[in-house]
């Protein structure tokens, strides 16, 4: 790794590739004792989109798996409201 006078850091290609770092990516350094750990910072939008996708996948995995004991949807919703 090399730091320029402008404070830019040159990250080795194999590290960039493994972390998915591209030009313009945000990174942060975390101090752990006498070491600095480099971490790619995901844009907030990507984090939200991934969370939404994970929740959607979770719901899809459980779709149709609830046993209503013979109740139809309307009966179930009445039970929830009462």
């Amino acid at each position: 790794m090399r730091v320029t006078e402008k404070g830019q850091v040159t990250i080795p290609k194999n590290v960039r590739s493994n972390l998915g770092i591209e030009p313009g990516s945000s990174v942060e350094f975390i101090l752990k004792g006498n070491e600095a750990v480099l971490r790619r910072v995901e844009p907030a939008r990507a984090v939200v989109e991934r969370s939404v996708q994970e929740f959607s996948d979770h719901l899809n995995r459980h779709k149709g798996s609830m046993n209503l004991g013979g109740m139809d949807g309307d009966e179930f919703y009445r039970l929830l409201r009462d």
Side-chain angles (χ1 to χ4, degrees):
M1 208 175 300
R2 181 174 59 85
V3 180
T4 68
E5 288 182 23
K6 294 181 182 180
Q8 295 175 332
V9 177
T10 302
I11 302 168
K13 183 174 180 167
N14 67 325
V15 174
R16 291 192 319 263
S17 295
N18 285 324
L19 293 177
I21 296 172
E22 299 173 351
S25 293
S26 295
V27 298
E28 68 180 353
F29 291 92
I30 302 165
L31 293 177
K32 291 191 175 186
N34 292 330
E35 298 177 345
V37 176
L38 171 71
R39 183 175 86 83
R40 180 175 54 97
V41 178
E42 291 187 69
R45 181 177 179 167
V47 172
V48 169
E49 288 173 354
R50 189 179 66 242
S51 295
V52 168
Q53 186 61 52
E54 288 173 358
F55 183 65
S56 177
D57 292 345
H58 174 78
L59 291 177
N60 285 329
R61 280 193 304 275
H62 297 285
K63 186 176 181 179
S65 64
M66 186 172 177
N67 180 352
L68 298 178
M71 288 187 284
D72 65 18
D74 291 332
E75 292 171 318
F76 177 69
Y77 286 118
R78 273 195 298 280
L79 176 69
L80 291 175
R81 284 191 290 260
D82 294 340

